[in-house]
Amino acid sequence: MQFVSYFAVYFIAWWMTLFAVLPFGLRTQAEANEVVPGSVESAPARFRGGRVVLMTTIVSALIYGGWYILSVRFGYGIDSLPQLYPDFE
C-alpha cells in the first residue's frame, strides 16, 4: 500500500474519532450558569479546540496502530471476518 493510502486510512480514523471525542469534558453554559444572551444553553461554556485536536490525534493514532498491526503485520482483512449470512451460490 502506498503512503497516500495509509494517510487516507488515518484521516478517516481521525475524522470519525473527532466526533467521538468532542463531548469529552464538555461543560455547557447551563451547567456553568453562564448563559450568554442569544445562545443556546447547551452551547459549550468554554471550547477547548486544541485539547480536542490533541485527544483526537492520540486516540486515532492508537486506533490506526491497531489497524496497521492487524492488517499489515498479521494479514487480517475484510475477508478474515466471519460470514454471517448463507452463501446462496
Side-chain angles (χ1 to χ4, degrees), residues 7 11 13-14 27 43-44 60:
F7 180 75
F11 180 74
W14 191 92
R27 278 192 67 142
S60 63

Side-chain angles (χ1 to χ4, degrees), residues 67 69-85:
W67 170 82
I69 289 171
L70 287 175
S71 67
V72 175
R73 297 293 179 203
F74 293 127
Y76 290 109
I78 297 296
D79 296 333
S80 301
L81 295 174
Q83 185 176 358
L84 300 174
Y85 54 89

Side-chain angles (χ1 to χ4, degrees), residues 16-82:
M16 290 188 331
T17 306
L18 172 67
F19 293 109
V21 168
L22 268 175
F24 292 167
L26 177 73
R27 278 192 67 142
T28 63
Q29 291 180 7
E31 292 173 344
N33 292 327
E34 300 172 359
V35 180
V36 177
S39 67
V40 234
E41 293 179 351
S42 60
R46 184 171 174 215
F47 180 68
R48 296 180 176 116
R51 191 179 105 195
V52 169
V53 169
L54 179 64
M55 285 177 48
T56 302
T57 302
I58 291 170
V59 172
S60 63
L62 292 173
I63 292 170
Y64 178 79
W67 170 82
Y68 182 82
I69 289 171
L70 287 175
S71 67
V72 175
R73 297 293 179 203
F74 293 127
Y76 290 109
I78 297 296
D79 296 333
S80 301
L81 295 174

